[in-house]
Amino acid sequence: MDAITNKKILQIAMEQSAIDSNCNVEDFLKKENVVVESKANPEARRYLKLPHICDLTSYGNNIVATITEEYREIVEHYIDKYAMEHCFETPNMHVLNEAFRPYGFGVCFMAEYFLPDMNVLEALPCEYELRVLTQEDFAELYKPEWSNALCEDRKQLDVLGVGAYDNDKLIGLAGCSADCDTMWQIGIDVLPEYRKQGIASALTSRLALEILNRGKVPFYCCAWSNIKSARNAIKSGFHPAWVQMTVKSLEMIDEMNGIL
């Protein structure tokens, strides 16, 4: 991907979000909020379970809500009542959560997404050897210590990585999943005894460049409470781009909380 700009990267991300949300790219740039019906799409990010009950996305201009139609009134009332930025946090978030609870749903996922800043992205130094890895190199790496870099449930999407080695010992791994046709998501793990040496940012920045060289856009996601991960994104040459909040079934939420 030659001389790709931040503007082009943002456009590609918005185009993918439009597919995921079943809306138009221009909807993310409007001043007013937009509510659309959620529909399945084979070009959506491959880990999404569509259609959504309710998913809120913001690139900082407004909120685009993609919903199951019967919940339109709940969602419209919520996003029109509160300021955009407060719709994604407590205490306002409790209002949406309580409105969905009688129907067996609740707020589940909340995340911030980062895109590379081409004005600052560069391969950061690392005192350890870095090796580019491909899918066939991952077979023996589906272990707890690499669970952020690789996803055992979606092995077929793990397509590229960069490993840091102390002699022949793998001490850090950045991996990416081919979540959609244009964008690959980066995950990162470093063994505890090797942290705070700049390994994570070296791996992340190198993998981002490898992804760009293959004609794809790298992106990075974390909970906004995950300060370590957000710091790594920024240090690695990424900047915040959009946020999402997703409603799921209470049964799923309980299962994830270990209640069931």
Side-chain angles (χ1 to χ4, degrees), residues 79-122:
I79 64 176
D80 288 342
K81 182 175 181 179
Y82 301 110
M84 174 191 66
E85 58 273 17
H86 297 315
C87 284
F88 293 86
E89 63 179 7
T90 56
N92 297 158
M93 185 190 71
H94 291 304
V95 173
L96 184 67
N97 195 62
E98 292 305 310
F100 270 110
R101 182 166 288 276
Y103 300 94
F105 301 104
V107 175
C108 184
F109 298 123
M110 301 163 63
E112 183 174 17
Y113 291 82
F114 299 77
L115 291 172
D117 184 343
M118 299 307 295
N119 297 318
V120 299
L121 178 65
E122 62 179 352

mmCIF file of all heavy atoms in Angstrom, residues 79-122:
data_model
loop_
_atom_site.group_PDB
_atom_site.id
_atom_site.type_symbol
_atom_site.label_atom_id
_atom_site.label_comp_id
_atom_site.label_asym_id
_atom_site.label_seq_id
_atom_site.Cartn_x
_atom_site.Cartn_y
_atom_site.Cartn_z
ATOM 1 N N ILE A 79 -30.077 7.793 22.853
ATOM 2 C CA ILE A 79 -28.999 8.566 22.217
ATOM 3 C C ILE A 79 -29.398 10.014 21.968
ATOM 4 O O ILE A 79 -28.533 10.883 21.810
ATOM 5 C CB ILE A 79 -28.515 7.905 20.913
ATOM 6 C CG1 ILE A 79 -29.622 7.862 19.861
ATOM 7 C CG2 ILE A 79 -27.967 6.511 21.198
ATOM 8 C CD1 ILE A 79 -29.153 7.300 18.524
ATOM 9 N N ASP A 80 -30.702 10.271 21.938
ATOM 10 C CA ASP A 80 -31.137 11.662 21.760
ATOM 11 C C ASP A 80 -31.196 12.426 23.085
ATOM 12 O O ASP A 80 -31.169 13.661 23.096
ATOM 13 C CB ASP A 80 -32.513 11.696 21.087
ATOM 14 C CG ASP A 80 -32.442 11.296 19.618
ATOM 15 O OD1 ASP A 80 -31.323 11.329 19.054
ATOM 16 O OD2 ASP A 80 -33.480 10.936 19.041
ATOM 17 N N LYS A 81 -31.266 11.700 24.175
ATOM 18 C CA LYS A 81 -31.399 12.348 25.482
ATOM 19 C C LYS A 81 -30.054 12.799 26.037
ATOM 20 O O LYS A 81 -29.954 13.868 26.656
ATOM 21 C CB LYS A 81 -32.071 11.395 26.473
ATOM 22 C CG LYS A 81 -32.296 12.022 27.855
ATOM 23 C CD LYS A 81 -33.068 11.078 28.773
ATOM 24 C CE LYS A 81 -33.305 11.730 30.134
ATOM 25 N NZ LYS A 81 -34.076 10.835 31.049
ATOM 26 N N TYR A 82 -29.006 12.004 25.818
ATOM 27 C CA TYR A 82 -27.716 12.272 26.452
ATOM 28 C C TYR A 82 -26.661 12.700 25.437
ATOM 29 O O TYR A 82 -26.750 12.372 24.250
ATOM 30 C CB TYR A 82 -27.224 11.026 27.194
ATOM 31 C CG TYR A 82 -28.181 10.570 28.267
ATOM 32 C CD1 TYR A 82 -28.914 9.393 28.117
ATOM 33 C CD2 TYR A 82 -28.362 11.309 29.431
ATOM 34 C CE1 TYR A 82 -29.803 8.961 29.097
ATOM 35 C CE2 TYR A 82 -29.247 10.889 30.417
ATOM 36 C CZ TYR A 82 -29.968 9.725 30.243
ATOM 37 O OH TYR A 82 -30.853 9.316 31.214
ATOM 38 N N ALA A 83 -25.668 13.419 25.915
ATOM 39 C CA ALA A 83 -24.561 13.839 25.051
ATOM 40 C C ALA A 83 -23.856 12.614 24.487
ATOM 41 O O ALA A 83 -23.734 11.586 25.157
ATOM 42 C CB ALA A 83 -23.574 14.698 25.839
ATOM 43 N N MET A 84 -23.376 12.759 23.264
ATOM 44 C CA MET A 84 -22.775 11.633 22.552
ATOM 45 C C MET A 84 -21.737 10.896 23.397
ATOM 46 O O MET A 84 -21.799 9.674 23.573
ATOM 47 C CB MET A 84 -22.123 12.135 21.268
ATOM 48 C CG MET A 84 -21.328 11.113 20.495
ATOM 49 S SD MET A 84 -20.350 11.898 19.205
ATOM 50 C CE MET A 84 -19.182 12.862 20.182
ATOM 51 N N GLU A 85 -20.773 11.633 23.939
ATOM 52 C CA GLU A 85 -19.673 10.984 24.649
ATOM 53 C C GLU A 85 -20.133 10.303 25.931
ATOM 54 O O GLU A 85 -19.554 9.304 26.370
ATOM 55 C CB GLU A 85 -18.557 11.990 24.959
ATOM 56 C CG GLU A 85 -18.975 13.194 25.775
ATOM 57 C CD GLU A 85 -19.512 14.346 24.932
ATOM 58 O OE1 GLU A 85 -19.873 14.121 23.753
ATOM 59 O OE2 GLU A 85 -19.558 15.471 25.460
ATOM 60 N N HIS A 86 -21.224 10.809 26.533
ATOM 61 C CA HIS A 86 -21.705 10.219 27.777
ATOM 62 C C HIS A 86 -22.558 8.979 27.550
ATOM 63 O O HIS A 86 -22.796 8.209 28.487
ATOM 64 C CB HIS A 86 -22.490 11.247 28.582
ATOM 65 C CG HIS A 86 -21.663 12.415 29.021
ATOM 66 N ND1 HIS A 86 -20.405 12.267 29.568
ATOM 67 C CD2 HIS A 86 -21.894 13.763 28.974
ATOM 68 C CE1 HIS A 86 -19.906 13.460 29.848
ATOM 69 N NE2 HIS A 86 -20.783 14.385 29.495
ATOM 70 N N CYS A 87 -23.000 8.767 26.310
ATOM 71 C CA CYS A 87 -23.784 7.564 26.004
ATOM 72 C C CYS A 87 -22.942 6.299 26.138
ATOM 73 O O CYS A 87 -23.479 5.197 26.253
ATOM 74 C CB CYS A 87 -24.364 7.646 24.598
ATOM 75 S SG CYS A 87 -25.781 8.746 24.444
ATOM 76 N N PHE A 88 -21.625 6.453 26.118
ATOM 77 C CA PHE A 88 -20.727 5.308 26.164
ATOM 78 C C PHE A 88 -20.135 5.076 27.551
ATOM 79 O O PHE A 88 -19.159 4.344 27.685
ATOM 80 C CB PHE A 88 -19.589 5.508 25.146
ATOM 81 C CG PHE A 88 -20.049 5.471 23.715
ATOM 82 C CD1 PHE A 88 -20.527 6.615 23.100
ATOM 83 C CD2 PHE A 88 -20.000 4.291 22.974
ATOM 84 C CE1 PHE A 88 -20.958 6.594 21.778
ATOM 85 C CE2 PHE A 88 -20.424 4.257 21.661
ATOM 86 C CZ PHE A 88 -20.897 5.404 21.057
ATOM 87 N N GLU A 89 -20.699 5.699 28.569
ATOM 88 C CA GLU A 89 -20.134 5.543 29.907
ATOM 89 C C GLU A 89 -21.230 5.679 30.954
ATOM 90 O O GLU A 89 -22.335 6.129 30.680
ATOM 91 C CB GLU A 89 -19.056 6.611 30.149
ATOM 92 C CG GLU A 89 -19.610 8.034 30.126
ATOM 93 C CD GLU A 89 -18.547 9.094 30.393
ATOM 94 O OE1 GLU A 89 -17.353 8.737 30.465
ATOM 95 O OE2 GLU A 89 -18.915 10.266 30.537
ATOM 96 N N THR A 90 -20.896 5.253 32.165
ATOM 97 C CA THR A 90 -21.800 5.481 33.285
ATOM 98 C C THR A 90 -21.694 6.950 33.698
ATOM 99 O O THR A 90 -20.672 7.598 33.450
ATOM 100 C CB THR A 90 -21.391 4.608 34.480
ATOM 101 O OG1 THR A 90 -20.032 4.886 34.816
ATOM 102 C CG2 THR A 90 -21.541 3.134 34.162
ATOM 103 N N PRO A 91 -22.754 7.514 34.285
ATOM 104 C CA PRO A 91 -23.972 6.841 34.727
ATOM 105 C C PRO A 91 -25.034 6.672 33.644
ATOM 106 O O PRO A 91 -25.975 5.899 33.819
ATOM 107 C CB PRO A 91 -24.502 7.770 35.835
ATOM 108 C CG PRO A 91 -24.068 9.131 35.382
ATOM 109 C CD PRO A 91 -22.709 8.935 34.758
ATOM 110 N N ASN A 92 -24.898 7.385 32.507
ATOM 111 C CA ASN A 92 -25.953 7.323 31.490
ATOM 112 C C ASN A 92 -26.146 5.909 30.948
ATOM 113 O O ASN A 92 -27.275 5.488 30.653
ATOM 114 C CB ASN A 92 -25.637 8.273 30.339
ATOM 115 C CG ASN A 92 -25.603 9.735 30.753
ATOM 116 O OD1 ASN A 92 -25.001 10.564 30.092
ATOM 117 N ND2 ASN A 92 -26.228 10.065 31.883
ATOM 118 N N MET A 93 -25.063 5.170 30.828
ATOM 119 C CA MET A 93 -25.136 3.817 30.276
ATOM 120 C C MET A 93 -26.112 2.937 31.045
ATOM 121 O O MET A 93 -26.744 2.041 30.480
ATOM 122 C CB MET A 93 -23.747 3.189 30.278
ATOM 123 C CG MET A 93 -23.648 1.835 29.616
ATOM 124 S SD MET A 93 -22.038 1.096 29.947
ATOM 125 C CE MET A 93 -22.198 0.695 31.685
ATOM 126 N N HIS A 94 -26.258 3.190 32.352
ATOM 127 C CA HIS A 94 -27.194 2.393 33.148
ATOM 128 C C HIS A 94 -28.622 2.525 32.633
ATOM 129 O O HIS A 94 -29.417 1.580 32.741
ATOM 130 C CB HIS A 94 -27.142 2.830 34.619
ATOM 131 C CG HIS A 94 -25.864 2.480 35.309
ATOM 132 N ND1 HIS A 94 -25.380 1.190 35.380
ATOM 133 C CD2 HIS A 94 -24.960 3.251 35.970
ATOM 134 C CE1 HIS A 94 -24.243 1.178 36.054
ATOM 135 N NE2 HIS A 94 -23.961 2.418 36.405
ATOM 136 N N VAL A 95 -28.942 3.676 32.080
ATOM 137 C CA VAL A 95 -30.300 3.883 31.554
ATOM 138 C C VAL A 95 -30.571 2.927 30.400
ATOM 139 O O VAL A 95 -31.634 2.293 30.327
ATOM 140 C CB VAL A 95 -30.471 5.356 31.103
ATOM 141 C CG1 VAL A 95 -31.811 5.547 30.410
ATOM 142 C CG2 VAL A 95 -30.339 6.292 32.300
ATOM 143 N N LEU A 96 -29.630 2.807 29.491
ATOM 144 C CA LEU A 96 -29.794 1.883 28.365
ATOM 145 C C LEU A 96 -29.825 0.442 28.859
ATOM 146 O O LEU A 96 -30.646 -0.375 28.402
ATOM 147 C CB LEU A 96 -28.652 2.072 27.365
ATOM 148 C CG LEU A 96 -28.745 1.227 26.091
ATOM 149 C CD1 LEU A 96 -29.933 1.670 25.249
ATOM 150 C CD2 LEU A 96 -27.453 1.330 25.277
ATOM 151 N N ASN A 97 -28.958 0.129 29.792
ATOM 152 C CA ASN A 97 -28.899 -1.226 30.326
ATOM 153 C C ASN A 97 -30.228 -1.625 30.969
ATOM 154 O O ASN A 97 -30.749 -2.719 30.726
ATOM 155 C CB ASN A 97 -27.768 -1.323 31.348
ATOM 156 C CG ASN A 97 -27.405 -2.750 31.694
ATOM 157 O OD1 ASN A 97 -26.986 -3.507 30.834
ATOM 158 N ND2 ASN A 97 -27.556 -3.113 32.956
ATOM 159 N N GLU A 98 -30.784 -0.731 31.771
ATOM 160 C CA GLU A 98 -32.046 -1.032 32.449
ATOM 161 C C GLU A 98 -33.218 -1.106 31.476
ATOM 162 O O GLU A 98 -34.162 -1.879 31.685
ATOM 163 C CB GLU A 98 -32.318 0.006 33.533
ATOM 164 C CG GLU A 98 -31.347 -0.071 34.710
ATOM 165 C CD GLU A 98 -31.317 -1.459 35.330
ATOM 166 O OE1 GLU A 98 -32.402 -2.001 35.622
ATOM 167 O OE2 GLU A 98 -30.207 -2.000 35.518
ATOM 168 N N ALA A 99 -33.155 -0.317 30.397
ATOM 169 C CA ALA A 99 -34.227 -0.353 29.403
ATOM 170 C C ALA A 99 -34.257 -1.694 28.670
ATOM 171 O O ALA A 99 -35.330 -2.186 28.291
ATOM 172 C CB ALA A 99 -34.048 0.789 28.403
ATOM 173 N N PHE A 100 -33.092 -2.305 28.466
ATOM 174 C CA PHE A 100 -33.024 -3.578 27.754
ATOM 175 C C PHE A 100 -33.236 -4.787 28.661
ATOM 176 O O PHE A 100 -33.600 -5.866 28.195
ATOM 177 C CB PHE A 100 -31.675 -3.708 27.036
ATOM 178 C CG PHE A 100 -31.677 -3.172 25.640
ATOM 179 C CD1 PHE A 100 -30.988 -2.009 25.334
ATOM 180 C CD2 PHE A 100 -32.363 -3.830 24.631
ATOM 181 C CE1 PHE A 100 -30.990 -1.511 24.037
ATOM 182 C CE2 PHE A 100 -32.374 -3.344 23.342
ATOM 183 C CZ PHE A 100 -31.686 -2.178 23.031
ATOM 184 N N ARG A 101 -33.027 -4.620 29.956
ATOM 185 C CA ARG A 101 -33.067 -5.761 30.866
ATOM 186 C C ARG A 101 -34.393 -6.527 30.831
ATOM 187 O O ARG A 101 -34.379 -7.777 30.832
ATOM 188 C CB ARG A 101 -32.741 -5.300 32.289
ATOM 189 C CG ARG A 101 -32.701 -6.412 33.328
ATOM 190 C CD ARG A 101 -32.055 -5.948 34.617
ATOM 191 N NE ARG A 101 -30.623 -5.779 34.450
ATOM 192 C CZ ARG A 101 -29.744 -6.775 34.550
ATOM 193 N NH1 ARG A 101 -30.168 -8.001 34.815
ATOM 194 N NH2 ARG A 101 -28.464 -6.549 34.388
ATOM 195 N N PRO A 102 -35.558 -5.868 30.787
ATOM 196 C CA PRO A 102 -36.813 -6.630 30.737
ATOM 197 C C PRO A 102 -36.943 -7.527 29.507
ATOM 198 O O PRO A 102 -37.734 -8.475 29.508
ATOM 199 C CB PRO A 102 -37.889 -5.533 30.720
ATOM 200 C CG PRO A 102 -37.242 -4.342 31.334
ATOM 201 C CD PRO A 102 -35.820 -4.411 30.893
ATOM 202 N N TYR A 103 -36.148 -7.229 28.480
ATOM 203 C CA TYR A 103 -36.199 -8.030 27.254
ATOM 204 C C TYR A 103 -35.122 -9.113 27.231
ATOM 205 O O TYR A 103 -34.987 -9.843 26.244
ATOM 206 C CB TYR A 103 -36.033 -7.120 26.034
ATOM 207 C CG TYR A 103 -37.103 -6.063 25.933
ATOM 208 C CD1 TYR A 103 -36.892 -4.790 26.455
ATOM 209 C CD2 TYR A 103 -38.327 -6.343 25.344
ATOM 210 C CE1 TYR A 103 -37.876 -3.814 26.376
ATOM 211 C CE2 TYR A 103 -39.324 -5.381 25.262
ATOM 212 C CZ TYR A 103 -39.090 -4.112 25.784
ATOM 213 O OH TYR A 103 -40.077 -3.153 25.701
ATOM 214 N N GLY A 104 -34.346 -9.201 28.314
ATOM 215 C CA GLY A 104 -33.316 -10.227 28.399
ATOM 216 C C GLY A 104 -31.983 -9.833 27.806
ATOM 217 O O GLY A 104 -31.182 -10.704 27.442
ATOM 218 N N PHE A 105 -31.721 -8.531 27.730
ATOM 219 C CA PHE A 105 -30.467 -8.046 27.155
ATOM 220 C C PHE A 105 -29.807 -7.030 28.080
ATOM 221 O O PHE A 105 -30.453 -6.471 28.974
ATOM 222 C CB PHE A 105 -30.712 -7.395 25.789
ATOM 223 C CG PHE A 105 -31.339 -8.318 24.792
ATOM 224 C CD1 PHE A 105 -32.696 -8.200 24.471
ATOM 225 C CD2 PHE A 105 -30.606 -9.310 24.167
ATOM 226 C CE1 PHE A 105 -33.295 -9.048 23.563
ATOM 227 C CE2 PHE A 105 -31.190 -10.154 23.250
ATOM 228 C CZ PHE A 105 -32.537 -10.032 22.943
ATOM 229 N N GLY A 106 -28.516 -6.776 27.836
ATOM 230 C CA GLY A 106 -27.800 -5.778 28.614
ATOM 231 C C GLY A 106 -26.557 -5.321 27.875
ATOM 232 O O GLY A 106 -26.117 -5.946 26.910
ATOM 233 N N VAL A 107 -25.984 -4.211 28.321
ATOM 234 C CA VAL A 107 -24.739 -3.714 27.732
ATOM 235 C C VAL A 107 -23.624 -4.703 28.054
ATOM 236 O O VAL A 107 -23.432 -5.089 29.203
ATOM 237 C CB VAL A 107 -24.390 -2.318 28.277
ATOM 238 C CG1 VAL A 107 -23.029 -1.874 27.745
ATOM 239 C CG2 VAL A 107 -25.476 -1.316 27.892
ATOM 240 N N CYS A 108 -22.884 -5.110 27.027
ATOM 241 C CA CYS A 108 -21.871 -6.140 27.203
ATOM 242 C C CYS A 108 -20.476 -5.659 26.834
ATOM 243 O O CYS A 108 -19.594 -5.583 27.679
ATOM 244 C CB CYS A 108 -22.233 -7.370 26.367
ATOM 245 S SG CYS A 108 -21.110 -8.775 26.576
ATOM 246 N N PHE A 109 -20.267 -5.314 25.563
ATOM 247 C CA PHE A 109 -18.936 -4.947 25.097
ATOM 248 C C PHE A 109 -18.787 -3.440 24.960
ATOM 249 O O PHE A 109 -19.671 -2.761 24.446
ATOM 250 C CB PHE A 109 -18.633 -5.603 23.746
ATOM 251 C CG PHE A 109 -18.634 -7.105 23.790
ATOM 252 C CD1 PHE A 109 -19.475 -7.836 22.961
ATOM 253 C CD2 PHE A 109 -17.797 -7.787 24.656
ATOM 254 C CE1 PHE A 109 -19.480 -9.216 23.001
ATOM 255 C CE2 PHE A 109 -17.801 -9.168 24.708
ATOM 256 C CZ PHE A 109 -18.639 -9.889 23.873
ATOM 257 N N MET A 110 -17.652 -2.922 25.428
ATOM 258 C CA MET A 110 -17.317 -1.507 25.281
ATOM 259 C C MET A 110 -15.845 -1.450 24.899
ATOM 260 O O MET A 110 -15.006 -2.017 25.597
ATOM 261 C CB MET A 110 -17.543 -0.761 26.591
ATOM 262 C CG MET A 110 -18.968 -0.835 27.115
ATOM 263 S SD MET A 110 -19.054 -0.360 28.865
ATOM 264 C CE MET A 110 -18.500 1.337 28.755
ATOM 265 N N ALA A 111 -15.517 -0.787 23.807
ATOM 266 C CA ALA A 111 -14.125 -0.803 23.352
ATOM 267 C C ALA A 111 -13.771 0.462 22.595
ATOM 268 O O ALA A 111 -14.634 1.140 22.023
ATOM 269 C CB ALA A 111 -13.873 -2.017 22.465
ATOM 270 N N GLU A 112 -12.467 0.765 22.614
ATOM 271 C CA GLU A 112 -11.905 1.866 21.838
ATOM 272 C C GLU A 112 -10.994 1.271 20.771
ATOM 273 O O GLU A 112 -10.244 0.331 21.034
ATOM 274 C CB GLU A 112 -11.113 2.791 22.754
ATOM 275 C CG GLU A 112 -10.542 4.010 22.052
ATOM 276 C CD GLU A 112 -9.886 4.982 23.027
ATOM 277 O OE1 GLU A 112 -9.594 4.575 24.167
ATOM 278 O OE2 GLU A 112 -9.677 6.145 22.651
ATOM 279 N N TYR A 113 -11.082 1.822 19.560
ATOM 280 C CA TYR A 113 -10.316 1.309 18.431
ATOM 281 C C TYR A 113 -9.299 2.352 17.966
ATOM 282 O O TYR A 113 -9.580 3.553 17.955
ATOM 283 C CB TYR A 113 -11.242 0.950 17.275
ATOM 284 C CG TYR A 113 -12.117 -0.254 17.570
ATOM 285 C CD1 TYR A 113 -13.294 -0.114 18.297
ATOM 286 C CD2 TYR A 113 -11.761 -1.524 17.124
ATOM 287 C CE1 TYR A 113 -14.091 -1.217 18.575
ATOM 288 C CE2 TYR A 113 -12.550 -2.623 17.392
ATOM 289 C CZ TYR A 113 -13.714 -2.469 18.116
ATOM 290 O OH TYR A 113 -14.503 -3.553 18.398
ATOM 291 N N PHE A 114 -8.127 1.860 17.573
ATOM 292 C CA PHE A 114 -7.015 2.709 17.165
ATOM 293 C C PHE A 114 -6.609 2.390 15.731
ATOM 294 O O PHE A 114 -6.638 1.227 15.310
ATOM 295 C CB PHE A 114 -5.804 2.481 18.076
ATOM 296 C CG PHE A 114 -6.032 2.804 19.526
ATOM 297 C CD1 PHE A 114 -6.736 1.945 20.349
ATOM 298 C CD2 PHE A 114 -5.530 3.974 20.077
ATOM 299 C CE1 PHE A 114 -6.937 2.228 21.692
ATOM 300 C CE2 PHE A 114 -5.723 4.277 21.423
ATOM 301 C CZ PHE A 114 -6.427 3.408 22.226
ATOM 302 N N LEU A 115 -6.187 3.424 15.007
ATOM 303 C CA LEU A 115 -5.659 3.290 13.653
ATOM 304 C C LEU A 115 -4.238 3.839 13.610
ATOM 305 O O LEU A 115 -3.894 4.718 14.401
ATOM 306 C CB LEU A 115 -6.537 4.051 12.659
ATOM 307 C CG LEU A 115 -7.940 3.490 12.408
ATOM 308 C CD1 LEU A 115 -8.754 4.460 11.563
ATOM 309 C CD2 LEU A 115 -7.875 2.118 11.751
ATOM 310 N N PRO A 116 -3.418 3.360 12.685
ATOM 311 C CA PRO A 116 -2.048 3.873 12.601
ATOM 312 C C PRO A 116 -2.011 5.328 12.156
ATOM 313 O O PRO A 116 -2.782 5.748 11.298
ATOM 314 C CB PRO A 116 -1.400 2.960 11.552
ATOM 315 C CG PRO A 116 -2.534 2.431 10.748
ATOM 316 C CD PRO A 116 -3.685 2.311 11.693
ATOM 317 N N ASP A 117 -1.120 6.077 12.769
ATOM 318 C CA ASP A 117 -0.877 7.460 12.387
ATOM 319 C C ASP A 117 0.359 7.461 11.494
ATOM 320 O O ASP A 117 1.481 7.261 11.969
ATOM 321 C CB ASP A 117 -0.640 8.318 13.632
ATOM 322 C CG ASP A 117 -0.469 9.800 13.311
ATOM 323 O OD1 ASP A 117 -0.215 10.127 12.136
ATOM 324 O OD2 ASP A 117 -0.579 10.615 14.236
ATOM 325 N N MET A 118 0.149 7.671 10.215
ATOM 326 C CA MET A 118 1.250 7.548 9.260
ATOM 327 C C MET A 118 2.297 8.653 9.426
ATOM 328 O O MET A 118 3.377 8.566 8.853
ATOM 329 C CB MET A 118 0.705 7.534 7.832
ATOM 330 C CG MET A 118 -0.234 6.360 7.546
ATOM 331 S SD MET A 118 0.483 4.743 7.967
ATOM 332 C CE MET A 118 1.829 4.665 6.790
ATOM 333 N N ASN A 119 1.974 9.660 10.208
ATOM 334 C CA ASN A 119 2.950 10.721 10.480
ATOM 335 C C ASN A 119 3.979 10.317 11.531
ATOM 336 O O ASN A 119 5.041 10.946 11.636
ATOM 337 C CB ASN A 119 2.238 11.997 10.935
ATOM 338 C CG ASN A 119 1.334 12.569 9.867
ATOM 339 O OD1 ASN A 119 1.702 12.613 8.697
ATOM 340 N ND2 ASN A 119 0.138 12.989 10.250
ATOM 341 N N VAL A 120 3.659 9.282 12.307
ATOM 342 C CA VAL A 120 4.567 8.890 13.389
ATOM 343 C C VAL A 120 4.931 7.406 13.359
ATOM 344 O O VAL A 120 5.911 7.004 14.003
ATOM 345 C CB VAL A 120 3.979 9.248 14.775
ATOM 346 C CG1 VAL A 120 3.761 10.742 14.898
ATOM 347 C CG2 VAL A 120 2.676 8.501 15.033
ATOM 348 N N LEU A 121 4.177 6.587 12.636
ATOM 349 C CA LEU A 121 4.434 5.145 12.630
ATOM 350 C C LEU A 121 5.808 4.843 12.046
ATOM 351 O O LEU A 121 6.151 5.287 10.951
ATOM 352 C CB LEU A 121 3.362 4.416 11.815
ATOM 353 C CG LEU A 121 3.536 2.902 11.693
ATOM 354 C CD1 LEU A 121 3.390 2.226 13.053
ATOM 355 C CD2 LEU A 121 2.534 2.324 10.693
ATOM 356 N N GLU A 122 6.593 4.088 12.795
ATOM 357 C CA GLU A 122 7.902 3.635 12.340
ATOM 358 C C GLU A 122 8.262 2.371 13.097
ATOM 359 O O GLU A 122 7.664 2.065 14.132
ATOM 360 C CB GLU A 122 8.975 4.706 12.570
ATOM 361 C CG GLU A 122 9.177 5.059 14.032
ATOM 362 C CD GLU A 122 10.261 6.104 14.248
ATOM 363 O OE1 GLU A 122 10.947 6.434 13.269
ATOM 364 O OE2 GLU A 122 10.418 6.559 15.393
#
